[in-house]
């Protein structure tokens, strides 16, 4: 039998340099070399897409888009502009008025300062004095391909465009959401600058505020992710063993499941909503995120294998959360919802599974679904979301169908947040 690590004859279609590389290097070095080549090409691609500073920026919004986001008429925005009130828009070709998201938020503040019944509508920040606690939404499922990162990124951006102060937390070591927000982890992060830096057990722990990064979305900050998050999965068992034997220092006695919540509590005055993109596995990180969450979204791809996988995920989650509850952890969710993603309405088996889930879980399945669309992957080619790209970049019917489903889902979640804050729906 051939040894698994032996190399076979060179593939004639394979470049000589690559064939030589795989033939001369051990498996770990070959994989590391591939990683370095891929990283370099991704960096070069980013430099081409976002010259000269290689940083992402958000497009300007038309006056019609700005009016819809603020909740006023386009004519009213024109009146404000002519009167010189609030930030003045940029005038584009054909006299079109264009606003940045920062200018839209400045307009919100300007309108809210006038007071009145609509002040809260213009500037919907939570009011702690009214008992409106920071919403922490964990987006989770331990099967890859369920649209978890896509859901997290678009939800965070939607809420920021709605005028809320949002913190996106990338807990996935693969850092896909960080990449969407313009960070290439192995190049832009130097170490101890993910959430792990704020929840680690040793003296190198940092304040979360020192880790948070600004994004090109006004009102949306990011705690980036990278491979160092895996350290929490490795150090937590050792901490638990030390605790059992009484060898852990008292200052570090806070159990793992309380550490994410404790870190988020230190910045709660700065944010209305936290959106956590959990890793696709049920480890200590995911469990800690669930314990910190006030609400949970479980993404579901309507295929039978995915639904069967979700069944096991729910069993395991219930068992682990029961252990946490018995250890003193508080588990009270404002809402828990299942979100059907990558849905193809014309696919009969998917329709059956979606109907099955709705009959089983009732209103715990969100009414709206995220449809499967090439618009998501096309936007992803330039590390953008649908909220960032222009409608003119796509076949309009394709874009409209995707953005309508996405916005319907996010508006439904926004309504659940308002309900948790006892606001009118």
């Amino acid at each position: 039998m051939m040894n698994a690590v032996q190399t076979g004859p060179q593939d004639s279609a394979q470049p000589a340099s690559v064939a030589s590389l795989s033939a001369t290097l051990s498996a770990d070095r070959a994989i590391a070399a591939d990683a370095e080549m891929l990283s370099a090409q991704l960096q070069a691609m980013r430099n081409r897409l976002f010259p000269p500073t290689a940083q992402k920026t958000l497009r300007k919004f038309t006056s019609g888009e700005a009016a819809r986001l603020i909740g006023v008429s386009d004519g009213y925005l024109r009146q404000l502009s002519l009167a010189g009130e609030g930030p003045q828009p940029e005038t584009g070709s054909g006299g079109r008025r264009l606003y940045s998201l920062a200018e839209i938020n400045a307009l919100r503040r300007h309108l809210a300062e006038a007071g009145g019944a609509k002040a809260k509508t213009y500037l919907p920040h939570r009011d702690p004095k009214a008992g409106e606690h920071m919403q922490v939404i964990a987006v989770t499922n331990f099967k890859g391909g369920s649209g978890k990162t896509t859901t997290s990124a678009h939800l965070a951006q939607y809420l920021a465009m709605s005028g809320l102060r949002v913190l996106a937390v990338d807990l996935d070591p693969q850092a896909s959401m960080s990449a969407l927000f313009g960070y290439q982890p192995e190049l832009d992060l130097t170490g101890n600058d993910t959430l792990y830096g704020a929840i680690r057990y040793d003296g190198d722990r940092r304040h979360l505020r020192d880790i948070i990064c600004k994004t090109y979305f006004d009102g949306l900050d990011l705690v980036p992710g990278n491979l160092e998050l895996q350290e929490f999965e490795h150090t937590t068992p050792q901490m638990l063993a030390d605790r059992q034997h009484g060898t852990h220092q008292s200052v570090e006695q806070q159990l793992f499941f309380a550490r994410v919540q404790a870190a988020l509590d230190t910045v709660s005055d700065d944010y209305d909503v936290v959106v956590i993109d959990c890793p696709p596995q049920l480890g200590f990180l995911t469990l800690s995120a669930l314990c910190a969450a006030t609400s949970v979204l479980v993404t579901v791809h309507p295929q039978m294998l995915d639904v069967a996988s979700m069944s096991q995920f729910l069993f395991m989650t219930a068992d682990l959360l029961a252990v946490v509850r018995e250890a003193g952890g508080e588990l009270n969710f404002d809402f828990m919802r299942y979100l059907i993603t990558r849905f193809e309405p014309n696919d009969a088996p998917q329709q059956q599974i979606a109907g099955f889930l709705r009959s089983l879980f009732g209103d715990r399945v969100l009414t709206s679904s995220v449809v499967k669309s090439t618009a998501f992957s096309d936007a992803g080619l330039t590390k953008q979301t649908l909220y960032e790209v222009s409608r003119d970049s796509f076949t309009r019917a394709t874009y409209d169908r995707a953005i309508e489903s996405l916005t319907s889902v996010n508006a439904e979640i926004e309504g659940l947040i308002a309900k948790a804050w006892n606001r009118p729906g």
Side-chain angles (χ1 to χ4, degrees):
M1 180 180 295
M2 183 179 291
N3 191 311
V5 299
Q6 290 179 344
T7 57
Q10 290 186 6
D11 187 340
S12 59
Q14 189 180 38
S17 59
V18 177
S20 174
L21 181 71
S22 61
T24 58
L25 293 182
S26 60
D28 60 314
R29 291 176 178 171
I31 292 172
D34 286 350
E36 289 175 3
M37 285 192 293
L38 180 58
S39 176
Q41 287 302 309
L42 289 172
Q43 173 68 1
M45 184 184 299
R46 184 173 70 169
N47 289 336
R48 288 195 301 271
L49 290 172
F50 310 113
T53 60
Q55 292 184 352
K56 294 182 70 175
T57 57
L58 182 60
R59 68 179 178 88
K60 295 288 184 83
F61 295 85
T62 66
S63 59
E65 290 175 316
R68 283 194 298 274
L69 287 172
I70 297 171
V72 297
S73 68
D74 192 5
Y76 184 55
L77 277 193
R78 180 181 294 274
Q79 290 177 15
L80 290 175
S81 176
L82 292 174
E85 294 187 36
Q88 295 304 297
E90 172 189 326
T91 303
S93 59
R96 289 201 314 167
R97 288 168 295 126
L98 300 172
Y99 294 86
S100 68
L101 184 56
E103 290 166 343
I104 290 172
N105 285 331
L107 276 169
R108 285 187 168 112
R109 291 189 290 271
H110 173 75
L111 293 171
E113 285 170 1
K118 296 193 70 176
K120 198 72 172 178
T121 304
Y122 295 135
L123 198 65
H125 296 176
R126 68 186 180 89
D127 182 1
K129 294 179 181 178
E132 296 178 350
H133 55 270
M134 183 174 69
Q135 271 291 320
V136 181
I137 303 175
V139 184
T140 185
N141 198 330
F142 72 178
K143 186 169 178 61
S146 64
K148 184 173 51 59
T149 297
T150 300
T151 297
S152 303
H154 284 91
L155 174 61
Q157 291 181 347
Y158 173 90
L159 294 174
M161 290 191 298
S162 297
L164 294 171
R165 300 167 300 166
V166 182
L167 177 64
V169 179
D170 193 348
L171 266 194
D172 188 344
Q174 297 177 80
S176 298
M177 186 163 70
S178 300
L180 267 179
F181 284 124
Y183 287 87
Q184 192 170 338
E186 70 275 18
L187 296 176
D188 299 326
L189 305 181
T190 57
N192 212 28
D193 40 15
T194 69
L195 188 66
Y196 176 66
I199 62 176
R200 60 191 302 159
Y201 300 102
D202 58 25
D204 291 329
R205 189 166 64 250
R206 301 174 64 193
H207 195 289
L208 182 58
R209 187 170 282 108
D210 298 329
I211 296 171
I212 291 171
C213 303
K214 293 293 182 183
T215 73
Y216 51 94
F217 251 81
D218 190 66
L220 173 56
D221 295 341
L222 173 72
V223 177
N226 71 3
L227 289 174
E228 79 173 17
L229 286 164
Q230 281 295 111
E231 290 298 313
F232 192 66
E233 305 291 348
H234 302 150
T235 56
T236 296
Q238 183 60 52
M239 184 279 296
L240 292 172
D242 289 347
R243 179 183 174 87
Q244 186 176 10
H245 293 95
T247 58
H248 223 278
Q249 296 297 317
S250 59
V251 71
E252 303 297 347
Q253 286 299 304
Q254 186 183 58
L255 278 169
F256 75 91
F257 59 76
R259 299 180 87 81
V260 171
Q261 180 178 344
L264 293 177
D265 284 346
T266 64
V267 296
S268 62
D269 290 343
D270 302 329
Y271 300 101
D272 305 307
V273 182
V274 177
V275 178
I276 304 178
D277 183 22
C278 296
Q281 62 191 43
L282 196 54
F284 293 114
L285 278 172
T286 299
L287 198 55
S288 300
L290 290 173
C291 291
T294 60
S295 305
V296 175
L297 282 178
V298 181
T299 53
V300 189
H301 183 213
Q303 297 277 10
M304 187 50 71
L305 285 178
D306 292 73
V307 172
S309 173
M310 187 181 79
S311 172
Q312 297 307 304
F313 169 75
L314 294 176
F315 273 123
M316 293 171 62
T317 302
D319 288 345
L320 290 171
L321 289 180
V323 173
V324 169
R325 177 171 47 79
E326 290 166 4
E330 293 186 13
L331 301 169
N332 297 306
F333 297 146
D334 290 328
F335 62 85
M336 177 178 175
R337 292 294 186 272
Y338 300 100
L339 169 61
I340 296 173
T341 60
R342 299 175 59 210
F343 180 52
E344 299 177 70
N346 297 324
D347 186 312
Q350 287 200 19
Q351 284 184 338
Q352 290 178 354
I353 292 174
F356 164 72
L357 290 172
R358 295 187 191 283
S359 66
L360 200 62
F361 298 126
D363 61 5
R364 292 204 303 282
V365 180
L366 289 179
T367 302
S368 303
S369 304
V370 180
V371 298
K372 183 178 181 180
S373 173
T374 57
F376 292 106
S377 53
D378 288 348
L381 286 173
T382 52
K383 292 185 180 179
Q384 291 180 295
T385 68
L386 287 192
Y387 290 132
E388 298 175 56
V389 295
S390 169
R391 183 171 179 251
D392 297 335
S393 305
F394 298 89
T395 303
R396 292 197 172 187
T398 301
Y399 175 85
D400 290 345
R401 177 172 169 266
I403 202 75
E404 181 182 356
S405 78
L406 190 62
T407 300
S408 294
V409 165
N410 290 330
E412 196 171 342
I413 297 168
E414 185 181 27
L416 291 170
I417 294 172
K419 185 177 179 182
W421 286 340
N422 293 315
R423 294 184 183 181

